Amino acid sequence: MSATRKRNPSDEFTVVYFRPIVDYPDDWTGHPENAEWFCTEHLPLVEGLTDLSAPEAIDQIRTQLAQIKA
């Protein structure tokens, strides 16, 4: 995975950074639109998707999960 990942102290969730689609001013603070938290179980689903925007990646992950459940 080429994107930056940060684990929280409990290691149960990891934040994954996807391709940003918003340019923020230098003094902006908050949660960026390209950062999404994933649990350990679903983290492997982001492999190869970090070059997409977060909404694009989430759509593909939902498709993968639907196929797994079918």
Side-chain angles (χ1 to χ4, degrees):
M1 182 178 313
S2 61
T4 303
R5 293 172 22 176
K6 293 184 182 179
R7 292 197 176 273
N8 72 347
S10 69
D11 277 345
E12 292 178 21
F13 293 89
T14 300
V15 67
V16 177
Y17 293 90
F18 296 94
R19 179 179 47 82
I21 55 176
V22 174
D23 288 326
Y24 298 101
D26 291 338
D27 61 346
W28 181 85
T29 59
H31 182 82
E33 47 71 39
N34 66 320
E36 297 290 342
W37 287 96
F38 288 88
C39 67
T40 304
E41 177 185 351
H42 292 112
L43 187 60
L45 297 173
V46 304
E47 286 294 327
L49 301 179
T50 55
D51 59 327
L52 301 174
S53 68
E56 292 168 334
I58 297 298
D59 284 346
Q60 287 200 18
I61 290 167
R62 285 184 177 138
T63 299
Q64 289 179 44
L65 289 172
Q67 291 172 352
I68 291 169
K69 291 180 181 180

